[in-house]
Amino acid sequence: MYKKINPTFFFLFCFIYTAILNGQNPLLVSSSKGIIKVNFENIQLAKGSIKLALYRSAETFLDTENAAGFYSFKINEKGSLSATINDLEYGEYAIAVFHDENSNGELETNLLGIPTEPYCFSGSGHSKWKPPVYEDAKFVVSENEITLTLRLEKWKL
């Protein structure tokens, strides 16, 4: 009276039906990970490394213990350096960078806490008179590849 349904066919049908209801084409689903290509400019010394911290929220921004990732890029010459960060989940991020000129792994500061090594942040609108905020530094990874240009600067009066 009733034909037995092939379980493989049934699950495949349910998957395709659910995907169509959700507005997705299961045959064209793309990766939800992207790449950030970062171009660092204004490198004044051909020594040390660029230290980059990646953050995912305002609550964790500039809290090194809760960064989403740390990256280090060796400097071999003055001028500029290009680097790539792979396999990032799509979403919102912010970047904090410094040039570790003396290779000690820490951002050097003076007695007032002002950085003495070059630094920069993603985004725009940063004031040298106050700490940066996540809202100014954030950007979105929502496609396979984005490119950021970050200019390192030393704090000056």
Side-chain angles (χ1 to χ4, degrees), residues 40 48-52 71-75 81-85:
F40 301 101
S49 60
I50 298 289
K51 302 293 186 184
L52 182 147
Y71 304 87
S72 182
F73 308 104
K74 182 100 174 103
I75 295 176
L81 172 73
S82 294
T84 303
I85 302 171

Side-chain angles (χ1 to χ4, degrees), residues 14-86:
C14 289
F15 171 74
I16 292 171
Y17 182 74
T18 304
I20 290 170
L21 285 178
N22 289 325
Q24 299 174 351
N25 181 340
L27 303 175
L28 299 176
V29 174
S30 64
S31 168
S32 61
K33 292 189 176 185
I35 295 170
I36 301 174
K37 290 190 173 184
V38 185
N39 297 316
F40 301 101
E41 295 181 341
N42 199 35
I43 297 171
Q44 298 298 311
L45 295 175
K47 66 178 187 175
S49 60
I50 298 289
K51 302 293 186 184
L52 182 147
L54 192 63
Y55 299 95
R56 300 261 352 222
S57 70
E59 294 76 34
T60 62
F61 187 56
L62 301 181
D63 178 359
T64 55
E65 292 181 16
N66 291 307
F70 289 104
Y71 304 87
S72 182
F73 308 104
K74 182 100 174 103
I75 295 176
N76 295 317
E77 59 187 49
K78 290 181 179 183
S80 63
L81 172 73
S82 294
T84 303
I85 302 171
N86 295 305

